[in-house]
Amino acid sequence: DGLNTLTTQNKINDIEGAKPLQVVQGEIKFDGIDFNYGGNKTLLKCLNLHIKPGEKVGLVGRSGAGKSTIVNLLLRFYEVEAGQILIDGQNINQVTQNSLREHIGMVTQDTSLLH
């Protein structure tokens, strides 16, 4: 899953005039995020998450809880339906996707290795 996430081709275009992301501290805010996959069932409703500079975060939950979706929204593989995601105060919808992804590191858990 992690490899698929990192090698997914861009389906979303940068806005005209998008600028490179400028990361100074690394603060991330999910501010009132709503998201669903096009169906009638909302997966995320008014998600608020504040990750402070230098903080390490693990996403834990049952299958289908939205962990991968949160990562995919941060990487802009999907667009949020409401709210905004900010990195150091910059809305990720207004920066280039390449610059965004250059600044994000992710460690996945490969459960196939667990015995």
Side-chain angles (χ1 to χ4, degrees):
D1 287 340
L3 189 55
N4 287 336
T5 296
L6 295 173
T7 59
T8 299
Q9 293 294 318
N10 294 359
K11 295 179 183 175
I12 297 169
N13 295 320
D14 290 339
I15 64 166
E16 188 174 325
K19 298 188 181 334
L21 177 66
Q22 300 296 317
V23 177
V24 177
Q25 295 184 339
E27 177 184 64
I28 300 172
K29 286 187 180 181
F30 286 74
D31 184 20
I33 300 298
D34 289 357
F35 180 77
N36 71 49
Y37 284 104
N40 293 329
K41 182 181 176 192
T42 299
L43 180 61
L44 300 173
K45 181 73 173 165
C46 200
L47 171 70
N48 292 298
L49 174 64
H50 181 197
I51 303 171
K52 298 174 185 165
E55 197 170 34
K56 293 172 181 57
V57 174
L59 299 176
V60 180
R62 62 177 172 69
S63 178
K67 302 177 299 291
S68 295
T69 300
I70 290 170
V71 172
N72 286 332
L73 289 170
L74 179 62
L75 292 168
R76 270 197 79 208
F77 291 129
Y78 302 111
E79 296 282 23
V80 299
E81 294 173 22
Q84 60 183 354
I85 301 172
L86 305 169
I87 297 179
D88 283 346
Q90 299 158 89
N91 187 324
I92 65 168
N93 290 342
Q94 298 176 5
V95 301
T96 64
Q97 293 173 66
N98 286 338
S99 70
L100 170 68
R101 294 174 189 151
E102 287 172 354
H103 286 89
I104 296 175
M106 180 173 74
V107 178
T108 63
Q109 177 182 345
D110 184 353
T111 57
S112 66
L113 299 177
L114 299 177
H115 298 284

